[in-house]
Amino acid sequence: MPDTQKTLVLLKPDALQRDLLGDIVSRFERKGLKLVGMKFIRLSDEMLDEHYAHLSDKPFFASLKQFMMQTPVVGMVLEGYDAIGEVRKIVGSTNPREADAGTIRADFSMNVPSNLIHASDGEEAAAAEIKRFFQDEELFQYEKITDRFIFGEGI
Ligand code: UDP
Ligand code: MG
């Protein structure tokens, strides 16, 4: 689809343990974001060093990595208009107690690192993170009969 963006989401181990995978996926589906990739990922120490490189000097870095490696995570690539910003809006602020009511983090979580979701925070990050976690052949382009109703004319 022209003029759409793709973004990477990870459903963290707390989402899996708390049986919230379906509820969270449903929030993105209902917005009209299209799932173009989805799989379990067992994160490694090396992957997390890269993924959370911006936090490597923080005191919580080691425990954050341990938290993320407790179970597999669910990786998703979502496509839609302004998908990167729209997904961040639906996810809410990092600290769930500062997140706006109605966001996934505010509605379903209470603390860090267990704030349920990772979502790319910009175009550069989205491109790098999709590449980090998905092979080209794991991303799918397909039509849905609802595309016209969700994305509007000219698709
Ligand atoms: N985090 C944490 N303690 C903090 C800040 C962040 O454990 O004080 C964790 C939290 O799980 C967060 C992740 O580190 O989601 C990545 O932090 P970032 O600042 O990139 O926030 P995000 O982009 O996930 O909102
Ligand atoms: Mg971040």
Side-chain angles (χ1 to χ4, degrees):
M1 290 174 295
D3 305 323
T4 56
Q5 287 181 335
K6 291 191 182 76
T7 190
L8 178 101
V9 165
L10 300 176
L11 305 184
K12 297 180 179 182
D14 51 328
L16 184 149
Q17 289 294 333
R18 296 180 53 209
D19 298 323
L20 289 172
L21 298 179
D23 283 312
I24 294 171
V25 172
S26 178
R27 295 287 286 265
F28 295 126
E29 287 180 320
R30 284 186 291 159
K31 171 68 178 174
L33 288 150
K34 189 187 271 193
L35 264 171
V36 297
M38 191 176 196
K39 63 176 181 180
F40 264 126
I41 306 169
R42 172 75 71 182
L43 295 173
S44 66
D45 205 52
E46 295 70 34
M47 284 166 120
L48 285 163
D49 278 342
E50 258 190 43
H51 185 62
Y52 283 137
H54 61 294
L55 301 172
S56 62
D57 59 347
K58 301 283 189 213
F60 58 83
F61 185 58
S63 59
L64 170 62
K65 289 199 297 176
Q66 284 303 118
F67 168 75
M68 292 294 288
M69 290 190 288
Q70 288 178 98
T71 70
V73 298
V74 175
M76 301 192 285
V77 178
L78 294 165
E79 182 174 6
Y81 292 131
D82 302 324
I84 298 167
E86 290 304 304
V87 166
R88 289 284 293 191
K89 206 155 80 183
I90 292 168
V91 167
S93 311
T94 307
N95 178 346
R97 299 195 301 284
E98 285 169 11
D100 290 334
T103 62
I104 294 167
R105 283 171 168 170
D107 289 357
F108 298 129
S109 65
M110 246 193 254
N111 209 354
V112 289
S114 50
N115 57 4
L116 301 168
I117 310 187
H118 166 81
S120 307
D121 65 6
E123 283 185 44
E124 212 175 298
E129 291 174 0
I130 290 169
K131 212 164 158 214
R132 178 171 306 136
F133 296 112
F134 283 82
Q135 309 286 325
D136 284 347
E137 59 271 24
E138 292 173 321
L139 297 177
F140 296 86
Q141 242 191 324
Y142 59 95
E143 284 184 14
K144 289 168 83 175
I145 56 170
T146 49
D147 280 351
R148 190 157 63 85
F149 298 97
I150 289 170
F151 294 100
E153 299 295 323
I155 298 295

